[in-house]
Amino acid sequence: MISRSMHVPPRIITFVVLLLLFTLHANAHPGPGLEIGSDGTLYFADVARKTIWKYNEKSGLEPLVRNRWTHHLQLTNDGTLYYERESPLPGTPPQEFWKITPDGKNVQLIKPESDRSQFNGVGFALAEDGNLYFAHSVRGQDGGWRHIIRKRTPESEVSTIAGSLTSPLYSDGAGTNASFRIITGMTIGPDGMIYVLDKDKIRKITLDGNVTTLASDLLDDSPKDPPHRRGPPTTINRLNGLAVDQHGNVYVAYQAGRCVFRVSKKDPQIKKIYEVKRPWSPIGVAVRGGTVFALEIGDASASAGPRVRKIDEDGKVSAVVTVTGD
């Protein structure tokens, strides 16, 4: 307890408040970035430690890069890892875009960008042709927030390929005939198409902007044991990580439901393939062959974990790696 006679310098109070806000934000908006290379090496985001980790069985766990407050990752076939770097502090340009080359070099591709219409790190998908696709949040004519999908070329030319401020929510179709509510995850599938989580739906977008809905009603309106019970519904009850296998099956990490489920390409029924109990909950997912990897974080603190678990084709769950300490 602090006595009334004790003077606490304002800078200490400010630091403590910022630390608390950062911890709460990191826990409510965890980094779902999880990628696996062709050799089995795992790469995953750690918002609390501002670190991107690298793990394989031979060399163990090591920081690939530190001081990177990042949420989303994409590993391309040539072994290059792409990530967005975000600033949590007010008054600073929030978005940058980087890559880590196979030989370990960090290269900045987009400088700090305060204009989110030019780049926004709320999920991204980098196509083989070098075009970068991202979700940009705008306020619709009804006053509510909507997302539109924008394309940024290697020459930094930006255009909208899909999404509307006036079309009925969740409309499918081409270009501005389609509409989105809130995109919480984005990836590019083995088929070269863009997959997004749009509130309670999985939607697919061709590179020229044609949108179709693959599955709906994926959120539980009243999760039994969510990690967060206070805050906006789109924060405490949202779909997080997203991955697509070589057959077109989609895997989703559902933090509030503490589970990973699969939506089959042939049968759009939801199948829960993994569930975990408090204090852990999945936030990210990756798939290689028939094996699924789940990135998890603990409830009590943003520094609890992250950890990675593996789910074999027969449903057997095994530990892979857990981050502890600093």
Side-chain angles (χ1 to χ4, degrees):
M1 179 179 295
I2 299 176
S3 67
R4 294 183 179 180
S5 60
M6 182 181 295
H7 174 70
V8 180
R11 64 179 181 275
I12 300 298
I13 296 176
T14 301
F15 173 78
V16 172
V17 170
L18 286 175
L19 181 63
L20 288 172
L21 289 174
F22 176 80
T23 301
L24 290 171
H25 186 75
N27 192 242
H29 296 274
L34 173 65
E35 293 284 297
I36 183 167
S38 58
D39 62 350
T41 299
L42 288 168
Y43 305 87
F44 57 95
D46 183 347
V47 171
R49 296 173 182 81
K50 295 191 291 186
T51 299
I52 299 174
W53 296 98
K54 174 182 178 180
Y55 172 81
N56 62 49
E57 293 183 354
K58 292 183 179 180
S59 60
L61 180 68
E62 57 182 316
L64 183 63
V65 60
R66 291 191 182 274
N67 194 29
R68 292 294 188 271
W69 204 61
T70 185
H71 296 75
H72 304 278
L73 308 174
Q74 182 180 330
L75 185 68
T76 52
N77 292 331
D78 64 357
T80 302
L81 186 71
Y82 294 84
Y83 65 94
E84 105 303 325
R85 184 183 184 187
E86 185 176 356
S87 172
L89 300 178
T92 58
Q95 301 290 339
E96 305 173 42
F97 192 58
W98 291 71
K99 71 176 181 180
I100 304 176
T101 61
D103 59 0
K105 294 180 180 178
N106 262 274
V107 181
Q108 187 183 59
L109 302 175
I110 300 177
K111 294 181 179 180
E113 183 62 73
S114 58
D115 183 355
R116 292 178 181 264
S117 69
Q118 299 302 298
F119 176 66
N120 193 358
V122 184
F124 62 85
L126 183 67
E128 291 185 1
D129 61 6
N131 289 323
L132 178 64
Y133 299 83
F134 62 93
H136 172 51
S137 182
V138 291
R139 193 176 290 278
Q141 291 187 357
D142 58 359
W145 289 101
R146 296 191 181 195
H147 273 119
I148 58 176
I149 303 298
R150 292 174 68 81
K151 177 178 75 174
R152 180 172 177 138
T153 69
E155 295 75 33
S156 300
E157 297 175 354
V158 180
S159 60
T160 297
I161 68 161
S164 168
L165 304 184
T166 57
S167 296
L169 282 176
Y170 310 116
S171 296
D172 286 345
T176 56
N177 291 321
S179 65
F180 306 88
R181 170 61 179 90
I182 178 168
I183 292 175
T184 57
M186 177 183 292
T187 191
I188 196 155
D191 56 2
M193 300 295 100
I194 303 167
Y195 292 76
V196 300
L197 299 174
D198 185 9
K199 195 177 179 180
D200 66 338
K201 307 178 191 314
I202 299 172
R203 308 183 73 188
K204 183 177 179 179
I205 312 166
T206 63
L207 298 186
D208 59 358
N210 192 46
V211 180
T212 54
T213 299
L214 302 181
S216 301
D217 302 320
L218 302 181
L219 285 176
D220 186 341
D221 290 336
S222 300
K224 291 184 291 186
D225 187 24
H228 313 289
R229 297 184 180 277
R230 295 182 180 179
T234 53
T235 296
I236 65 175
N237 188 24
R238 67 193 303 177
L239 304 174
N240 295 89
L242 174 69
V244 185
D245 70 16
Q246 58 188 358
H247 304 295
N249 303 311
V250 183
Y251 299 80
V252 178
Y254 181 21
Q255 183 185 14
R258 300 185 189 274
C259 66
V260 172
F261 56 78
R262 178 178 65 222
V263 176
S264 171
K265 181 178 181 180
K266 296 181 179 180
D267 181 3
Q269 295 296 316
I270 302 172
K271 182 177 180 181
K272 190 181 296 184
I273 63 169
Y274 173 61
E275 189 171 15
V276 67
K277 295 181 179 180
R278 181 176 290 273
W280 297 98
S281 52
I283 57 171
V285 64
V287 59
R288 179 169 179 254
T291 303
V292 178
F293 296 82
L295 177 66
E296 301 176 356
I297 194 170
D299 297 347
S301 165
S303 61
R307 71 178 191 180
V308 178
R309 292 294 183 265
K310 179 173 69 173
I311 304 99
D312 293 334
E313 288 185 84
D314 60 2
K316 180 182 177 182
V317 178
S318 56
V320 179
V321 62
T322 300
V323 179
T324 58
D326 297 329

